[in-house]
Amino acid sequence: MTELTLRLQEGDTETTIAVDRDEFTIGRLPECNLYLPFAGVSRNHARILKTAEGMWTIEDLGSKNGTQVNKYLINCPQELHHGDVVWLGNVSLVVLLTSPVSQSTFTPEYAPTSETNEQRTILHNVEQLQQQWIAADSKDGNISNKDKTIARLKDLVDIAKNLCAAASIEEIFSQVQQVVFRYLDSIDRLGLLIDVNGCGHLELVNAATRNVSQQKHLPADGSWISRSICQKVFEEKVVIQTGDTHQDERFASEQSILVKGIRSAMAVPLWDENKVVGVLYADANLSSYHWANEGEEELSFFSALANLVASSVQRWLLVEKLKTEEMIRHRLERYHSPAVVQQLISVGASPDGRLAPSESEISILFADLVGFTAISERLTPTAIAQLLNNLFEEMLKEVFTWGGTLDKYIGDCIMAFFGAPEPQLDHADRAVAAAKGMLTRLEHLNANNFWQEPLQLRIAINSGKAVVGDVGSSQRVDYTALGATINLAARMEGVCPPSECVISEATHAMLSQPSDFQEMGDYRFKGIDRLVKVYQTKLQPVSTIISH
């Protein structure tokens, strides 16, 4: 007499249930012969019956999600065979039939062969799988290979059209999710991982479960995904299909496999020509029984789909890069010359539009309008704003001409620096050249009646180490330079005669033409615990000091 046993898989735990009666009920009610308190299982889900001939059958009892034997939903009593996999919602039961007489004659459709036991993980070259799904042999005698190939080509064309129409990564994943869950009945969870910044680090950008009610339980950090499998697929551009993952020595020690109970997984690279941009990953609570029969065809389709997805992801990455570059350009043009902005964008120094603070060797310049307080007493606020706008516009041209960076406007004062964000070995020469240019330009403006009365500047320059970068809160960020080097330059501006420039000893030592300056004396400044040697010169119009 044939005996029936059911094997239930729960994570890494397997439970064997003997069917000890001719009528055996399965469901979520405690009074069922097999009590399954899991999502997707109905109260009275299915019933197993033993026929008069000694055969075992299963029938659905009107469950919400239906009962599936292997890959097909049943709508009438279905005979059970050794190795069949019965699905009730997301719960799987493996059918084990034993008979002292006929056990050796069974050829289980879903039982693992010795070959399956020896190799639970299959690695394929991506190129070999691209056309395999399209031209797969038909298993249905009523459908010719040619007809099936044409149907699959049409499906891929429709999928490609939908993916091309997707404008965001969310829309792309939505299309992928629909296709995968429609074609691959075995897949429970799906994840899209992308190398967003092109640095080899895969980020989980979207994920989904077949059972919508389980979506909220899917960890957003991607801890349920086998990172070792995905990284191997990404780095080696291979396709991986694995069953009984926890028994494969390459992946068995991974935390996600041990804790989450991953039984089987598929992962394929998203690649466009020779560049891999991400990985499409899927897993299920299946053993190697399923892969033995359906795995090759499912993997071929999964790979063909990934090839289409790669083009859409590549397009999305390009659009995001252009958006980021535009954001960076607008952000940086406030501070840098156009040449510096282009250089920053080309090297990708600030992918998020922000420059992290870092220590740099710079020369800091303060240019202050002489007698501004007296001037502002005679002008309306509107006239003051107009004067400063016009003056700053002219002076900033000299800063940008010499590759400088605008830090900020402080009332009537311009604060700028040279040597950051891009290093400039000649930053002291550049700062002095900009100062000379500002004084010369103002001299020409006065000669052409730029304002109703002549204007004068005081300029101070100091050189040394400073921390340069974006500083502020999430609401407001300023690109600025901080440190003692800046404080000293601000103090030195107070001892500068009108229409002149003063520089520190540190700046003087860095100049290619230090003879342009003469020693002014030693000064003690507030907050500085040492005497500072200051140099000055009355600057005349010059053509150039350095080539720029």
Side-chain angles (χ1 to χ4, degrees), residues 391-435:
L391 180 65
F392 290 158
E393 184 73 27
E394 292 293 330
M395 297 302 104
L396 196 58
K397 291 177 182 178
E398 295 297 331
V399 174
F400 284 174
T401 294
W402 296 99
T405 295
L406 172 67
D407 189 306
K408 63 175 68 72
Y409 300 116
I410 310 172
D412 61 319
C413 178
I414 296 174
M415 176 181 171
F417 54 84
F418 300 78
E422 287 298 302
Q424 296 165 329
L425 297 178
D426 55 351
H427 55 80
D429 281 330
R430 289 175 179 271
V432 168

Coordinates of all heavy atoms in Angstrom, one line a residue, residues 391-435:
L391 N 30.0 97.6 -8.6 CA 31.4 97.4 -8.3 C 31.8 95.9 -8.2 O 32.8 95.5 -8.7 CB 31.6 98.1 -6.9 CG 33.1 98.0 -6.4 CD1 34.0 98.8 -7.3 CD2 33.1 98.6 -5.0
F392 N 30.9 95.1 -7.5 CA 31.3 93.7 -7.4 C 31.3 93.0 -8.8 O 32.2 92.1 -9.0 CB 30.2 93.0 -6.5 CG 30.3 93.4 -5.1 CD1 29.2 93.2 -4.2 CD2 31.4 93.9 -4.5 CE1 29.2 93.6 -2.9 CE2 31.5 94.3 -3.2 CZ 30.4 94.1 -2.4
E393 N 30.5 93.4 -9.7 CA 30.5 92.8 -11.0 C 31.8 93.0 -11.7 O 32.3 92.1 -12.3 CB 29.3 93.4 -11.8 CG 29.2 92.8 -13.2 CD 28.6 91.5 -13.2 OE1 27.8 91.1 -12.3 OE2 28.8 90.7 -14.1
E394 N 32.4 94.2 -11.5 CA 33.6 94.5 -12.2 C 34.8 93.8 -11.5 O 35.7 93.3 -12.1 CB 33.9 96.1 -12.2 CG 32.9 96.8 -13.1 CD 33.1 96.5 -14.6 OE1 34.3 96.2 -14.9 OE2 32.2 96.6 -15.3
M395 N 34.8 93.8 -10.2 CA 35.9 93.3 -9.4 C 36.0 91.7 -9.5 O 37.0 91.1 -9.5 CB 35.8 93.7 -7.9 CG 36.0 95.2 -7.7 SD 37.5 95.9 -8.3 CE 36.9 96.8 -9.8
L396 N 34.8 91.1 -9.6 CA 34.8 89.7 -9.7 C 35.4 89.2 -11.0 O 35.9 88.0 -11.1 CB 33.3 89.2 -9.5 CG 33.1 87.7 -9.2 CD1 33.8 87.3 -7.9 CD2 31.7 87.3 -9.1
K397 N 35.3 90.0 -12.0 CA 36.0 89.6 -13.3 C 37.4 89.3 -13.1 O 38.0 88.4 -13.7 CB 35.8 90.7 -14.3 CG 34.3 90.9 -14.8 CD 34.2 92.1 -15.8 CE 32.7 92.3 -16.2 NZ 32.6 93.4 -17.1
E398 N 38.1 90.1 -12.3 CA 39.5 89.8 -12.0 C 39.7 88.6 -11.2 O 40.7 87.8 -11.5 CB 40.1 91.0 -11.3 CG 40.1 92.3 -12.1 CD 41.0 92.2 -13.3 OE1 42.0 91.4 -13.3 OE2 40.7 92.9 -14.3
V399 N 38.9 88.3 -10.3 CA 39.0 87.1 -9.5 C 38.9 85.9 -10.4 O 39.7 84.9 -10.3 CB 37.9 87.0 -8.4 CG1 37.9 85.7 -7.7 CG2 38.1 88.1 -7.4
F400 N 37.9 85.9 -11.3 CA 37.6 84.7 -12.1 C 38.7 84.6 -13.2 O 39.0 83.5 -13.7 CB 36.2 84.8 -12.8 CG 35.1 84.4 -11.8 CD1 33.8 84.5 -12.2 CD2 35.4 83.9 -10.6 CE1 32.8 84.2 -11.3 CE2 34.4 83.5 -9.7 CZ 33.1 83.7 -10.1
T401 N 39.2 85.8 -13.7 CA 40.3 85.8 -14.7 C 41.5 85.0 -14.2 O 42.1 84.3 -15.0 CB 40.7 87.2 -15.0 OG1 39.6 87.9 -15.7 CG2 41.9 87.2 -16.0
W402 N 41.8 85.1 -13.0 CA 43.0 84.4 -12.4 C 42.6 83.1 -11.7 O 43.4 82.5 -10.9 CB 43.7 85.3 -11.5 CG 44.2 86.5 -12.2 CD1 43.7 87.8 -12.3 CD2 45.4 86.6 -13.0 NE1 44.4 88.6 -13.1 CE2 45.5 87.9 -13.5 CE3 46.4 85.6 -13.3 CZ2 46.5 88.3 -14.4 CZ3 47.4 86.0 -14.2 CH2 47.5 87.3 -14.7
G403 N 41.4 82.5 -12.0 CA 41.0 81.2 -11.5 C 40.7 81.2 -10.1 O 40.8 80.1 -9.4
G404 N 40.2 82.3 -9.5 CA 39.9 82.4 -8.1 C 38.5 81.9 -7.8 O 37.7 81.7 -8.7
T405 N 38.2 81.8 -6.6 CA 36.9 81.4 -6.1 C 36.3 82.4 -5.2 O 36.9 82.9 -4.3 CB 37.0 80.0 -5.3 OG1 37.4 79.0 -6.2 CG2 35.7 79.6 -4.7
L406 N 35.1 82.8 -5.5 CA 34.4 83.8 -4.6 C 33.9 83.1 -3.4 O 33.2 82.1 -3.5 CB 33.2 84.4 -5.4 CG 32.3 85.3 -4.5 CD1 33.0 86.5 -4.0 CD2 31.0 85.6 -5.3
D407 N 34.3 83.5 -2.2 CA 33.7 83.0 -1.0 C 32.4 83.6 -0.6 O 31.4 83.0 -0.5 CB 34.8 83.2 0.2 CG 34.4 82.4 1.4 OD1 33.2 82.6 1.9 OD2 35.2 81.6 1.9
K408 N 32.4 84.9 -0.5 CA 31.2 85.7 -0.1 C 31.4 87.2 -0.2 O 32.6 87.6 -0.4 CB 30.8 85.3 1.3 CG 31.7 85.7 2.4 CD 31.2 85.5 3.8 CE 31.1 84.0 4.1 NZ 32.4 83.3 4.3
Y409 N 30.3 87.9 -0.2 CA 30.3 89.3 0.0 C 30.0 89.7 1.4 O 29.0 89.2 1.9 CB 29.3 90.0 -1.0 CG 29.6 89.8 -2.4 CD1 28.6 89.1 -3.2 CD2 30.7 90.2 -3.1 CE1 28.8 88.8 -4.5 CE2 30.9 90.0 -4.4 CZ 30.0 89.3 -5.2 OH 30.2 89.1 -6.5
I410 N 30.8 90.4 2.1 CA 30.5 90.8 3.4 C 30.3 92.4 3.5 O 31.3 93.1 3.5 CB 31.7 90.5 4.4 CG1 32.1 89.0 4.2 CG2 31.4 90.7 5.8 CD1 33.4 88.6 4.9
G411 N 29.1 92.8 3.4 CA 28.8 94.2 3.3 C 29.4 94.8 2.0 O 29.0 94.4 0.9
D412 N 30.4 95.6 2.1 CA 31.1 96.2 1.0 C 32.4 95.5 0.7 O 33.3 96.0 -0.1 CB 31.4 97.7 1.3 CG 32.3 97.9 2.5 OD1 32.1 97.2 3.5 OD2 33.2 98.8 2.4
C413 N 32.6 94.4 1.3 CA 33.9 93.6 1.1 C 33.7 92.4 0.3 O 32.7 91.6 0.4 CB 34.4 93.3 2.5 SG 36.0 92.3 2.5
I414 N 34.7 92.1 -0.5 CA 34.8 90.9 -1.3 C 35.8 89.9 -0.7 O 36.9 90.3 -0.4 CB 35.2 91.1 -2.8 CG1 34.2 92.0 -3.5 CG2 35.4 89.8 -3.5 CD1 34.7 92.4 -4.9
M415 N 35.3 88.7 -0.4 CA 36.2 87.7 0.1 C 36.4 86.6 -0.9 O 35.4 86.0 -1.4 CB 35.7 87.1 1.4 CG 36.5 85.9 2.0 SD 35.7 85.3 3.5 CE 36.7 83.8 3.8
A416 N 37.6 86.4 -1.4 CA 37.9 85.4 -2.4 C 39.2 84.6 -2.1 O 40.0 85.1 -1.3 CB 38.0 86.1 -3.8
F417 N 39.3 83.4 -2.7 CA 40.5 82.7 -2.4 C 41.0 81.9 -3.7 O 40.2 81.7 -4.6 CB 40.4 81.7 -1.2 CG 39.2 80.7 -1.3 CD1 39.3 79.6 -2.1 CD2 38.0 81.0 -0.7 CE1 38.3 78.7 -2.1 CE2 37.0 80.1 -0.8 CZ 37.1 79.0 -1.5
F418 N 42.3 81.5 -3.7 CA 42.9 80.9 -4.8 C 43.6 79.6 -4.3 O 44.2 79.6 -3.2 CB 43.9 81.8 -5.4 CG 43.3 83.1 -6.0 CD1 43.0 84.1 -5.1 CD2 43.1 83.3 -7.3 CE1 42.4 85.3 -5.5 CE2 42.5 84.4 -7.8 CZ 42.2 85.5 -6.9
G419 N 43.5 78.5 -5.0 CA 44.1 77.3 -4.6 C 43.1 76.2 -4.3 O 43.5 75.1 -3.9
A420 N 41.9 76.5 -4.4 CA 40.8 75.5 -4.1 C 39.6 75.9 -4.9 O 39.4 77.1 -5.1 CB 40.5 75.4 -2.6
P421 N 38.7 74.9 -5.2 CA 38.7 73.5 -4.9 C 39.8 72.7 -5.7 O 40.2 71.7 -5.3 CB 37.4 73.0 -5.3 CG 36.9 73.9 -6.4 CD 37.5 75.2 -6.0
E422 N 40.2 73.3 -6.8 CA 41.3 72.6 -7.6 C 42.6 73.2 -7.1 O 42.8 74.4 -7.0 CB 41.2 72.8 -9.1 CG 40.0 72.0 -9.7 CD 40.3 70.5 -9.6 OE1 41.3 70.0 -10.0 OE2 39.5 69.8 -8.9
P423 N 43.6 72.4 -6.8 CA 44.9 72.9 -6.3 C 45.6 73.8 -7.3 O 45.6 73.5 -8.5 CB 45.7 71.6 -6.0 CG 44.7 70.5 -5.9 CD 43.6 70.9 -6.8
Q424 N 46.2 74.9 -6.9 CA 47.0 75.8 -7.8 C 48.3 76.0 -7.0 O 48.3 76.7 -6.0 CB 46.2 77.1 -8.0 CG 44.9 76.9 -8.7 CD 44.0 78.1 -8.6 OE1 44.0 78.8 -7.7 NE2 43.2 78.3 -9.7
L425 N 49.4 75.5 -7.6 CA 50.7 75.7 -6.9 C 51.1 77.2 -6.9 O 51.8 77.6 -6.0 CB 51.8 74.9 -7.7 CG 51.6 73.4 -7.7 CD1 52.6 72.7 -8.5 CD2 51.5 72.8 -6.3
D426 N 50.6 78.0 -7.8 CA 50.9 79.4 -7.9 C 49.8 80.3 -7.3 O 49.6 81.4 -7.8 CB 51.3 79.8 -9.3 CG 50.1 79.5 -10.3 OD1 49.2 78.8 -9.9 OD2 50.2 79.9 -11.4
H427 N 49.1 79.8 -6.3 CA 47.9 80.5 -5.8 C 48.3 81.9 -5.2 O 47.5 82.8 -5.3 CB 47.2 79.7 -4.7 CG 48.0 79.2 -3.6 ND1 48.4 80.0 -2.5 CD2 48.6 78.0 -3.3 CE1 49.1 79.4 -1.7 NE2 49.3 78.1 -2.1
A428 N 49.5 82.1 -4.7 CA 49.9 83.4 -4.2 C 50.1 84.4 -5.3 O 49.6 85.5 -5.2 CB 51.2 83.3 -3.4
D429 N 50.7 83.9 -6.4 CA 50.9 84.8 -7.6 C 49.6 85.2 -8.2 O 49.3 86.3 -8.6 CB 51.7 84.1 -8.6 CG 53.2 84.1 -8.3 OD1 53.7 85.1 -7.7 OD2 54.0 83.2 -8.7
R430 N 48.6 84.2 -8.2 CA 47.3 84.5 -8.8 C 46.6 85.5 -7.9 O 45.9 86.4 -8.5 CB 46.5 83.2 -8.8 CG 47.0 82.2 -9.9 CD 46.2 80.9 -9.9 NE 46.7 80.0 -10.9 CZ 46.2 79.9 -12.1 NH1 45.2 80.8 -12.5 NH2 46.7 79.1 -13.0
A431 N 46.6 85.4 -6.6 CA 45.9 86.3 -5.7 C 46.5 87.7 -5.9 O 45.7 88.7 -6.0 CB 46.1 85.9 -4.3
V432 N 47.8 87.9 -6.0 CA 48.4 89.2 -6.1 C 48.1 89.8 -7.5 O 47.8 91.0 -7.7 CB 50.0 89.1 -6.0 CG1 50.6 90.4 -6.5 CG2 50.3 88.8 -4.5
A433 N 48.1 88.9 -8.6 CA 47.7 89.4 -9.9 C 46.2 89.9 -9.9 O 45.9 90.9 -10.6 CB 47.9 88.2 -10.9
A434 N 45.4 89.1 -9.2 CA 44.0 89.6 -9.2 C 43.9 90.9 -8.4 O 43.1 91.8 -8.8 CB 43.1 88.5 -8.5
A435 N 44.6 91.1 -7.3 CA 44.6 92.3 -6.6 C 45.0 93.5 -7.5 O 44.4 94.6 -7.5 CB 45.5 92.2 -5.3

